[in-house]
Amino acid sequence: MTIRCVSFNPAIDQTVTLERLVPGEVVRALAVRHDAGGKGVNVASCLADAGQAVELHGLLGRDNAAIFEQLFAAKGIADWLQRVTGATRTNVKLLETGGRTTDVNLPGFTAGAADAEAVFAGLAEVGTGELVVISGSQPGGLAADTSARLAAALAGRGARVVADLSGAALDAVLALPPGALPYAVKPNRAELEAWAGRRFDERTALIDAARALVARGIALVVVSLGTEGAAFVTAEGALQAAPPRLATGSTVGAGDAMVAGITSALADGLALDALARRATAFAAGKLGREGAHLPPAAELDALAAAVRPQPLDVWAAAPGSRT
């Protein structure tokens, strides 16, 4: 199966490594690197590393497309991105040696309705059971519901949409009626709180919000929880899984690696326990690696085998369950 990834707003990740960021002071960088990124590109990159056939749809600025084209050629990613006038944005990530990261996201190209329609047209043949990942932000010029309209169109044709969105785009996709909703969503805790309009002071509140989305018709809700891993909720069961170990270094793209793991598991028809293991292993495998790249399959398999999912209600009742 070929998995389609959609990235309306890719980015070049400029990672600047420094010993310590001191606001207002001149800081000497230890190193700098540039990676083709943005959430949809990161997901496609990780899927390709895992041996999955993948197409990338969306938008890309003509002025600095070369770094993306080099990545696609190296990893065998089919490039269906629509070229638009201008440059793709750069996200500056200031990575301190202790692991703390400060992001400075620069503006990029502006898109229009015709650009979005070209992306829609490129996915017109997607049908029943196929997997499409829609992730990341939208560039200026696109309506806030662009990702939601694409998700609804794909779901209406029987495709399984995996959505990793935030803010207004997440609100729009979660407001879709049953039958138009994504198959799976992966908000983090803060994004789910923002959608719910309240802070989850107890773990049970987070679980209730995830289960409410499942009750509305979303087959799989995954809530990423930082160092606590993620909650995986379906109508049939609910688990919490955390990585067996945490690496130091860049966390850029770890959530996108988890989305890749979720989608890969759906493509392989894995049960919830195995899906949680693979998604967690992908995220853990990405930690400490520069750029959106996964380790070899044997290392991913070892990580997955070391993950110990537990019932979500057990996690909720554990000491320190107030968040």
Side-chain angles (χ1 to χ4, degrees):
M1 174 188 293
T2 297
I3 296 174
R4 279 85 169 180
C5 296
V6 179
S7 181
F8 282 112
N9 203 19
I12 296 173
D13 291 328
Q14 177 179 302
T15 304
V16 180
T17 304
L18 41 88
E19 184 173 343
R20 187 166 66 93
L21 176 64
V22 183
E25 299 290 335
V26 175
V27 181
R28 186 175 298 276
L30 301 176
V32 62
R33 61 175 287 133
H34 296 82
D35 295 285
K39 296 182 74 64
V41 173
N42 290 344
V43 173
S45 179
C46 289
L47 284 169
D49 282 348
Q52 179 68 53
V54 60
E55 293 179 1
L56 188 58
H57 297 252
L59 305 175
L60 190 68
R62 291 191 185 92
D63 292 357
N64 53 358
I67 187 173
F68 294 91
E69 293 165 351
Q70 291 166 4
L71 174 72
F72 305 154
K75 294 204 174 189
I77 297 170
D79 177 9
W80 286 69
L81 292 166
Q82 303 293 322
R83 302 308 193 259
V84 298
T85 301
T88 299
R89 65 198 173 113
T90 296
N91 290 341
V92 181
K93 300 176 185 299
L94 306 176
L95 174 62
E96 298 172 63
T97 53
R100 186 176 68 170
T101 302
T102 301
D103 290 356
V104 182
N105 293 345
L106 306 182
F109 59 76
T110 299
D115 299 313
E117 291 304 320
V119 176
F120 282 40
L123 293 161
E125 300 303 315
V126 174
T128 301
E130 296 190 73
L131 283 160
V132 182
V133 182
I134 305 175
S135 56
S137 62
Q138 298 174 176
L142 293 189
D145 67 346
T146 299
S147 291
R149 288 192 295 108
L150 177 58
L154 291 165
R157 299 201 298 272
R160 293 177 292 169
V161 175
V162 179
D164 182 15
L165 305 166
S166 61
L170 177 62
D171 291 342
V173 82
L174 294 182
L176 291 169
L181 286 163
Y183 184 88
V185 295
K186 194 215 71 67
N188 60 33
R189 186 200 308 263
E191 290 163 348
L192 190 61
E193 286 179 333
W195 169 77
R198 68 183 188 279
R199 176 180 167 80
F200 301 142
D201 292 322
E202 296 184 353
R203 290 175 178 174
T204 52
L206 181 149
I207 295 170
D208 289 344
R211 284 177 168 153
L213 290 175
V214 171
R216 289 197 59 235
I218 298 175
L220 172 64
V221 176
V222 180
V223 185
S224 51
L225 305 169
T227 57
E228 293 185 89
F232 299 81
V233 183
T234 70
E236 290 74 35
L239 301 171
Q240 179 264 348
R245 60 176 171 78
L246 292 175
T248 59
S250 176
T251 61
V252 174
D256 304 325
M258 176 170 280
V259 172
I262 292 166
T263 312
S264 169
L266 291 174
D268 288 344
L270 300 188
L272 184 62
D273 180 89
L275 181 148
R277 289 173 182 270
R278 180 176 293 184
T280 304
F282 273 42
K286 162 62 194 77
L287 289 172
R289 289 178 172 264
E290 296 177 319
H293 308 295
L294 294 181
E299 184 175 338
L300 289 173
D301 290 343
L303 285 168
V307 175
R308 296 288 183 266
Q310 64 177 330
L312 196 55
D313 290 339
V314 172
W315 172 75
S321 62
R322 293 182 65 85
T323 58

